[in-house]
């Protein structure tokens, strides 16, 4: 027995690359997805940097109002004599211009980066949690009978009911009726987008629950919550995470659409969505107020979509173009 | 077959009842109510609020309110809180406005998405395929209202045509042709804008469906028989690739309400989405509820139609 084990290793039975390593290499071959990935990473860095800078450094304070400095185009140097020196923007230049209250658009965009990405990620986090919970319940305890219907029927009919609501209309109803707050928006977007995840997880669980490793775990009397969360969820999670990438993109777009109707994140908090929605009033006088947030949203959402699609291809061998 | 349809309808009616109960609960349990829309109005006295609440049955328990709503809806006497107009008439009027927008949007979507998707699938990894993929992602990623604004400015500046609203103000007396042209302009731009995201998504689906079908054995057989390439692609390939789109077509029907809020607001188009938006702003519960109910009916009708069509089109499906 002792002699066998080193033999196994020298026979090269270990996979040459781990699963994630292999998938990663496939992703790298898709140049657009790989570029988007790095773009997003730098965006996260920028978001955290922006959060720190806007909170601590006065030069980056997005809330400073300079009424004498309204509607300055991008790259205008700070020359005003009316505004106190300590209110001057970073580097003495309005990198992205100023808005209708003379606030530095660059500082607002920096702040908005953090808020927008947070809205996207928290909303998706909520939708994943609910989706995995409901889907896992329906998949794992699907055969358990409650009275005359099974758990699976009950939960999946519930999902069907929620799917029948027009999502954006539902979000609008709830957001308009609730007091406006950034948390409500994240929660509402999250709670109206979990249905896809639930269906996905259920389908994965249905195929997983009779597989040998689950049966083995059951035979060892491992508690059921451990089987579900430690043994089964990691096996079902990869495709779910891939669609979550695209979910973040959708959440950012939904937030900007809500902002457009006036129900988004409220001032003084800045998000890309509400900078864009505020800027549209001054489209002719100050086009940069529309174009800068508009194109930022476009690029970031595009990067999320391309990255998600690249991941999907990497994790689903059927979709790959070159084997 | 009849059995299958009846069973499906029966299941959907039960779903509909649950949907109406849940939406009723959501709307009524959420904070904010009609009497509080305008709290600063000095002419609103406490007794007025009481009177309004009583006449709208807002003091009754929730389940009684639900029964009132169902009863009024069934008898057609459901009145809007805001202007006391019958809700069904109001929605019907807006529905007739939304319909042309929806139809033209759907037509643009389907007539654009299929050729693009098929071309992309046939020339896989070509420049056309790559660029159409990139453009469809870009079009999905752009916020709809941002693109619409750019488009409005472009159209107004280049062609000198106003595109907001259903028709240009003051053209009521103009010659028929002019009025007709005006209407076409006003209809095309919003329809195009609302069709863009759908086109991008649908063309991706068409592409992946075609790719899957093209590698099937029966396509190879058709080629081996020596059939012309066009016949192989459009007769043997496309017909089989079309099946899943029956489902998709059913699912586009609810877009009549939900998908149109933004675009109808931008283009000041008096359709159902805007009606819903205005109703939400005014806490006009009967209209919100009834719109929700109608859109649920549309969703269920869409899935029902697609289920039946699917069963008709695919002989492999047994009842």
């Amino acid at each position: 027995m002792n002699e066998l084990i080193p033999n196994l290793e020298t026979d090269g039975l270990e996979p040459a690359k781990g699963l994630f390593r292999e998938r990663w290499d496939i992703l790298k071959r898709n140049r657009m997805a790989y570029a988007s990935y790095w773009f997003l990473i730098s965006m996260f860095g920028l978001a955290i940097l922006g959060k720190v800078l806007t909170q601590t450094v006065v030069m980056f304070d997005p809330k400073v109002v300079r009424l004498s400095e309204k509607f300055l185009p991008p790259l205008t140097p700070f020359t005003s004599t009316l505004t106190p020196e300590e209110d001057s923007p970073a580097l003495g230049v309005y990198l992205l211009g100023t808005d209708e209250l003379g606030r530095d658009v660059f500082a607002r965009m920096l702040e908005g980066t953090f808020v927008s990405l947070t809205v996207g990620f928290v909303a998706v986090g909520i939708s994943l949690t609910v989706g995995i919970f409901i889907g896992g319940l329906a998949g794992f305890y699907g055969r358990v009978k409650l009275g005359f219907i099974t758990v699976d029927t009950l939960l999946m009919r519930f999902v069907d009911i929620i799917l029948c609501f027009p999502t954006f209309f539902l979000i609008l109803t709830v957001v308009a009726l609730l007091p406006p707050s950034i948390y409500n928006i994240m929660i509402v977007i999250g709670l109206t987008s979990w249905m896809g995840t639930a269906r996905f997880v259920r389908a994965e669980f249905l195929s997983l629950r009779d597989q040998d490793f689950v049966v083995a775990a059951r035979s060892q009397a491992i508690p059921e919550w451990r089987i579900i969360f430690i043994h089964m969820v990691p096996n079902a999670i990869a495709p779910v995470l891939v669609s979550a990438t695209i979910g973040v993109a959708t959440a950012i777009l939904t937030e900007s659409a809500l902002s457009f109707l006036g129900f988004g994140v409220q001032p003084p908090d800045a998000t890309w969505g509400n900078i864009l929605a505020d800027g549209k009033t001054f489209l002719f006088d100050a086009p940069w107020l529309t174009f800068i947030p508009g194109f930022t949203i476009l690029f970031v959402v595009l990067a999320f979509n391309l990255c998600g699609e690249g991941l999907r291809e990497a994790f689903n061998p059927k979709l790959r173009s070159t084997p | 077959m009849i059995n299958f349809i009846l069973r499906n309808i029966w299941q959907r009616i039960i779903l509909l009842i649950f949907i109406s109960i849940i939406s009723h609960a959501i709307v009524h349990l959420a904070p904010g109510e009609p009497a509080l829309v305008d709290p600063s109005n000095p002419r609103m006295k406490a007794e007025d609020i009481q009177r309004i609440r009583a006449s709208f049955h807002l003091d009754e328990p929730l389940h009684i309110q639900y029964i009132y709503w169902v009863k009024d809806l069934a008898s057609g006497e459901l009145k809007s809180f805001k202007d006391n107009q019958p809700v069904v008439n109001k929605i019907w009027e807006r529905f007739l406005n939304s319909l042309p927008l929806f139809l033209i949007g759907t037509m643009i979507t389907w007539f654009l998405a299929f050729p693009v998707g098929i071309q992309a699938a046939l020339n896989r990894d070509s420049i056309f395929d790559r660029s159409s993929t990139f453009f469809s992602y870009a079009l999905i990623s752009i916020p709809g209202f941002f693109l619409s604004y750019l488009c409005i400015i472009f159209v107004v500046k280049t062609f000198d045509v106003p595109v907001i609203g259903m028709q240009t103000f003051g053209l009521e007396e103009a010659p028929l042709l002019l009025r007709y042209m005006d209407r076409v302009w006003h209809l095309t731009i919003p329809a195009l804008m609302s069709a863009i995201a759908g086109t991008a998504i649908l063309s991706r689906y068409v592409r992946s469906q075609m790719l899957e079908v093209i590698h099937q054995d029966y396509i190879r057989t058709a080629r081996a028989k020596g059939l012309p390439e066009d016949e192989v692609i459009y007769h043997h390939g496309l017909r089989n690739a079309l099946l899943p789109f029956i489902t998709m077509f059913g699912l586009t029907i609810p877009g009549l309400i939900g998908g149109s809020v933004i675009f109808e607001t931008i283009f000041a188009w008096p359709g159902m989405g805007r009606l819903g938006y205005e109703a939400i702003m005014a806490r006009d519960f009967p209209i919100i509820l009834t719109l929700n109910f109608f859109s649920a009916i549309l969703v269920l009708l869409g899935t029902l139609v697609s289920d039946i069509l699917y069963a008709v089109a695919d002989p492999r499906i047994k009842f």
Side-chain angles (χ1 to χ4, degrees), chain A residues 32 157-158 160-170 172-174 176-179 253 256-263 273 276-277 280 283-284 290-291 293-295 297-299 301-303 305-306 309 313 318-322, chain B residues 15 18-20 22-23 26-27 30-32 124-125 130 133-134 137-146 149-150 153 157 204 208 254 257-258 261-262 265-266 272-273 275-277 280-281 283 285 287-288 291-292 295-296 299-300:
Chain A
M32 292 236 276
R157 286 301 87 77
F158 179 62
D160 285 348
I161 291 176
I162 304 289
L163 274 175
C164 282
F165 285 105
T167 319
F168 191 71
F169 197 65
L170 185 67
L172 205 58
T173 312
V174 179
L177 297 181
L178 287 177
L253 280 183
S256 78
L258 283 175
S259 284
F260 168 74
L261 294 176
F263 294 118
L276 174 56
K280 69 177 195 285
L283 192 50
F284 290 101
T290 310
F291 283 94
F295 279 104
I297 295 179
L298 169 61
F299 288 137
V301 171
L302 182 63
N305 279 330
L306 288 175
E309 194 58 26
E313 248 172 55
K318 264 198 208 157
L319 292 173
R320 255 172 254 159
S321 42
T322 40
Chain B
L15 267 184
F18 277 107
I19 291 168
S20 67
I22 292 180
S23 60
I26 291 178
V27 170
R124 189 177 194 177
D125 289 333
R130 280 169 197 279
T133 304
F134 184 78
Y137 279 117
L139 289 176
I140 297 170
S141 307
I142 199 163
F145 66 96
F146 177 54
Y149 270 95
L150 297 188
I153 290 175
K157 283 206 162 165
R204 304 292 304 149
S208 64
I257 298 184
V261 182
I262 294 278
T265 310
I266 296 170
M272 282 164 95
L275 179 67
Y277 174 65
I280 289 172
M281 294 298 278
R283 311 283 195 278
F285 290 168
I287 290 198
I288 303 177
L291 262 184
N292 241 324
S295 88
V299 176
L300 294 175

Side-chain angles (χ1 to χ4, degrees), chain B residues 213 216-223 232 236-237 240-241:
Chain B
V213 166
Q216 298 288 337
D217 287 343
Y218 52 79
I219 296 293
R220 198 181 311 135
T221 313
R223 286 215 174 99
V232 174
H236 291 74
N240 283 296

Side-chain angles (χ1 to χ4, degrees), chain A residues 84-297:
Chain A
E85 190 63 31
E86 67 264 23
D87 279 352
S88 71
L91 307 174
V93 177
Y94 294 112
L95 270 179
L96 301 177
T98 58
D99 65 3
E100 76 274 19
L101 294 174
R103 291 174 296 190
D104 185 8
V105 177
F106 179 67
R108 280 172 64 73
M109 287 299 291
L110 263 185
E111 193 200 7
T113 309
F114 188 81
V115 182
S116 288
L117 289 177
T118 314
V119 170
F121 275 95
V122 174
V124 167
I126 293 171
S127 105
L128 276 188
T129 316
V130 179
I132 289 176
F133 184 73
I134 302 261
L137 226 57
F140 194 79
Y141 295 110
R143 294 179 195 140
V144 179
K145 282 222 165 194
L146 289 175
F148 59 99
I149 46 173
T150 59
V151 173
D152 185 52
T153 321
L154 188 73
L155 287 174
M156 283 300 121
R157 286 301 87 77
F158 179 62
V159 171
D160 285 348
I161 291 176
I162 304 289
L163 274 175
C164 282
F165 285 105
T167 319
F168 191 71
F169 197 65
L170 185 67
I171 294 177
L172 205 58
T173 312
V174 179
V175 169
L177 297 181
L178 287 177
S181 108
I182 182 167
Y183 301 104
N184 284 340
I185 287 165
M186 297 182 204
I187 293 171
V188 169
I189 296 179
L191 287 186
T192 47
S193 59
W194 53 269
M195 290 81 76
T197 315
R199 289 184 145 191
F200 222 98
V201 172
R202 170 180 170 266
E204 290 282 315
F205 264 47
L206 286 185
S207 71
L208 284 177
R209 74 177 173 196
D210 292 325
Q211 284 194 10
D212 288 344
F213 72 93
V214 177
V215 178
R218 274 168 177 271
S219 72
Q220 293 169 39
I222 292 173
E224 273 173 344
W225 65 267
R226 252 189 94 84
I227 299 182
I228 295 178
F229 289 106
I230 311 285
H231 294 251
M232 288 170 81
V233 167
N235 280 292
I237 201 80
V240 174
L241 285 184
V242 170
S243 59
T245 321
I246 294 170
V248 177
T250 318
I252 293 175
L253 280 183
T254 309
E255 193 276 321
S256 78
L258 283 175
S259 284
F260 168 74
L261 294 176
F263 294 118
V265 175
Q266 299 296 316
D269 274 330
T271 65
W272 296 330
N274 66 20
I275 299 173
L276 174 56
D278 291 345
K280 69 177 195 285
T281 328
F282 312 105
L283 192 50
F284 290 101
D285 302 323
W288 60 91
L289 288 181
T290 310
F291 283 94
I292 289 168
F295 279 104
T296 313
I297 295 179

